[in-house]
Amino acid sequence: MTVGTDTRSAMADGTRRRARAVLAMLALFIVVNAADKAVLGLTAGPIKDDLGLSATEFGLIASSFYLLFSLSAVSVGFLGDRIRPRPLLAVLALVWAVAQLPILLPATGFGALVATRVVLGAGEGPGFPLANYTAFTWYPEKRRALPSAVVVAGGAGGTVLAAPLVVLVSNTLGWRAAFGLLGAAGLVWMLVWLRIGGGGPYAAHLGPEPAGDEASAQHVPAVTADGERPAVPFRRIVTTGTWLGATFATFAVMWTLSLGFAWLPLFLEDQAGFSDAQISGIVGLPALSMAVLVLTAGVVAHRLLRKGVSARVAQGLVGALLPLVAGVCLLLVTRADPAALLPLLIVAFSAGNGQTPLTNAAIADICPAGRRSAALGLSYALAALSSLLAPYVTGRIIDAAPTEAVGYGRAFDLAACLLIAGAVLSALLIRPDRDALTVLTAHPATSSASTTPRVSRGASSASGPDAEPSAKE
């Protein structure tokens, strides 16, 4: 009895350590992802001067990143339910590197920049939902908000780390070298991931475990934590209020994020008069604020759920407050006193993303394991359409306005209205508890398949590291 207990304890410790290592790698994955997005905006001045681009042309380059972004996100999202995370994420990182390295060539001009950004976007589109899905395979239901927050915080870390480094490399070696540096970073991450990465014991059943991949057989329950793959029609998931509200809220947040990636450095230089050195530090401030807000929102939601507060409150209402605050601040950016400019910008371009881990967890909580990657991927793909539109639309607005200042004001107002609308809709629609029951009870066989293993798990492994929280929690 004692030997068996000690063995289970050692296995549990090993699983926890592996989960933390994989989560750290996924956060670094998103760090590189975010840096790849940010590098264009951070080198916008030299690129425009070197290639002689108008605002509309630069906006077209920024938007081209998202041309295949959504299609790739949804396609790989469906593959994520059939292929293991280790090879999928490794291939994505390789695509990132292949897209960035050609920019080192002096002949790379407007057309080549557009082409490489399209390829990069195709590789990065599935990155965020697939990283979240992989993190969720290591954690049970009701404990997913915090690991999702860690993954999302990686995006903030990418901007914080990239901003000063990209500006330094660009100023010393030229703007092309900054792209090459990030291509090399993608290759390094891929090699490390192939060594230590993989999915966890809460993944949907994907066939026999290959040697050394995923959690080893001794760590995986005979019945996965989410039960066997149920036959739930996919349309039933994507027509729930939770999925629709979360998707639109993310659409609004991603519009603002892509606006910030592409145009905020130029706004700070042209309209606020900051130098390159100052901008490299300022651009990192919203990212730092985003990291704090994302992790705080994840912790708050996690604790509320463990105390028995409904998911509608913990994930829907609490999450909706963040884009609401961001939208109000963005409305004030071009109207408030110049002394308040930086605080307003920091909150406007950071607070909305604090909702993202909560909406991701809400979607995950209403999905059977076999539908989760596809549901997250499709949601992210549709939301990412805003990123395709925002940089180009902003460029057109600025070129059409009587002055650049007026153009920036109109573009910021549009993003603010989207954030506020997203906050209202997510507050009204995101109800994971209700929608999870709606999805499962639609097919009695599904409900049976999903609930029976949970009872068994609770009786046999309630003391394990990843046991589902009880009703008291």
Side-chain angles (χ1 to χ4, degrees):
M1 178 69 74
T2 302
V3 173
T5 302
D6 291 343
T7 301
R8 286 193 298 272
S9 178
M11 290 166 56
D13 289 341
T15 301
R16 281 195 293 264
R17 285 194 297 271
R18 180 87 188 279
R20 288 193 290 267
V22 170
L23 187 59
M25 284 298 297
L26 293 172
L28 289 174
F29 180 75
I30 300 301
V31 165
V32 179
N33 181 292
D36 284 340
K37 292 186 181 77
V39 65
L40 185 70
L42 290 168
T43 56
I47 290 174
K48 286 183 68 181
D49 293 340
D50 190 17
L51 303 181
L53 304 176
S54 67
T56 299
E57 289 171 329
F58 177 76
L60 179 61
I61 295 175
S63 286
S64 66
F65 176 86
Y66 299 97
L67 184 63
L68 298 179
F69 195 90
S70 294
L71 178 62
S72 177
V74 70
S75 299
V76 177
F78 280 94
L79 287 177
D81 288 328
R82 296 166 175 80
I83 301 176
R84 297 186 180 281
R86 178 183 290 177
L88 273 181
L89 289 173
V91 168
L92 293 184
L94 179 61
V95 171
W96 302 355
V98 169
Q100 295 283 53
L101 293 175
I103 300 176
L104 288 169
L105 300 174
T108 304
F110 174 79
L113 266 177
V114 170
T116 55
R117 295 304 281 183
V118 170
V119 173
L120 181 65
E124 294 210 354
F128 183 72
L130 190 57
N132 267 288
Y133 168 72
T134 305
F136 293 154
T137 68
W138 288 95
Y139 296 88
E141 189 178 351
K142 304 300 184 185
R143 295 188 185 181
R144 291 173 180 148
L146 187 55
S148 180
V150 172
V151 172
V152 175
T159 306
V160 172
L161 295 173
L165 186 59
V166 165
V167 171
L168 175 64
V169 171
S170 178
N171 288 341
T172 55
L173 301 176
W175 61 269
R176 297 180 187 276
F179 287 81
L181 175 66
L182 293 176
L187 287 177
V188 171
W189 185 92
M190 179 192 69
L191 294 175
V192 178
W193 174 255
L194 287 173
R195 175 73 176 173
I196 69 173
Y202 291 89
H205 180 64
L206 296 173
E209 291 289 342
D213 196 16
E214 315 303 331
S216 64
Q218 63 181 348
H219 292 162
V220 182
V223 178
T224 61
D226 292 290
E228 298 296 332
R229 179 179 301 201
V232 175
F234 191 66
R235 67 179 180 276
R236 186 169 295 278
I237 296 171
V238 300
T239 53
T240 60
T242 295
W243 192 91
L244 293 170
T247 300
F248 185 82
T250 307
F251 179 96
V253 169
M254 292 187 70
W255 181 289
T256 307
L257 287 176
S258 60
L259 170 65
F261 277 130
W263 289 103
L264 183 57
L266 280 174
F267 172 80
L268 292 170
E269 180 180 0
D270 297 341
Q271 303 302 312
F274 290 103
S275 67
D276 286 345
Q278 291 172 321
I279 290 171
S280 69
I282 292 171
V283 167
L285 294 178
L288 284 173
S289 174
M290 185 188 303
V292 172
L293 289 170
V294 161
L295 292 172
T296 301
V299 170
V300 169
H302 180 76
R303 291 181 176 176
L304 289 174
L305 289 169
R306 290 180 66 85
K307 289 180 179 179
V309 175
S310 71
R312 184 198 177 191
V313 173
Q315 296 170 338
L317 297 182
V318 171
L321 291 175
L322 295 165
L324 179 63
V325 171
V328 171
C329 288
L330 196 52
L331 282 175
L332 296 175
V333 161
T334 55
R335 295 173 173 84
D337 187 89
L341 176 64
L342 282 182
L344 289 171
L345 279 174
I346 291 169
V347 177
F349 285 97
S350 65
N353 211 39
Q355 184 190 29
T356 303
L358 307 187
T359 54
N360 288 334
I363 290 175
D365 287 349
I366 68 170
C367 295
R371 298 293 195 188
R372 189 172 299 134
S373 177
L376 287 167
L378 181 59
S379 174
Y380 190 70
L382 292 177
L385 291 174
S386 66
S387 300
L388 173 65
L389 297 171
Y392 178 72
V393 169
T394 299
R396 292 297 300 267
I397 290 173
I398 292 173
D399 279 343
T403 65
E404 279 194 350
V406 172
Y408 277 111
R410 292 173 179 173
F412 287 177
D413 286 352
L414 174 59
C417 291
L418 286 172
L419 284 170
I420 293 170
V424 172
L425 287 177
S426 59
L428 294 174
L429 297 178
I430 294 178
R431 297 169 178 251
D433 296 324
R434 179 198 65 184
D435 289 340
L437 289 174
T438 300
V439 168
L440 292 177
T441 56
H443 295 269
T446 298
S447 179
S448 163
S450 299
T451 56
T452 301
R454 291 173 186 259
V455 175
S456 173
R457 250 191 353 266
S460 63
S461 59
S463 61
D466 291 325
E468 293 281 6
S470 66
K472 293 179 182 178
E473 296 175 322

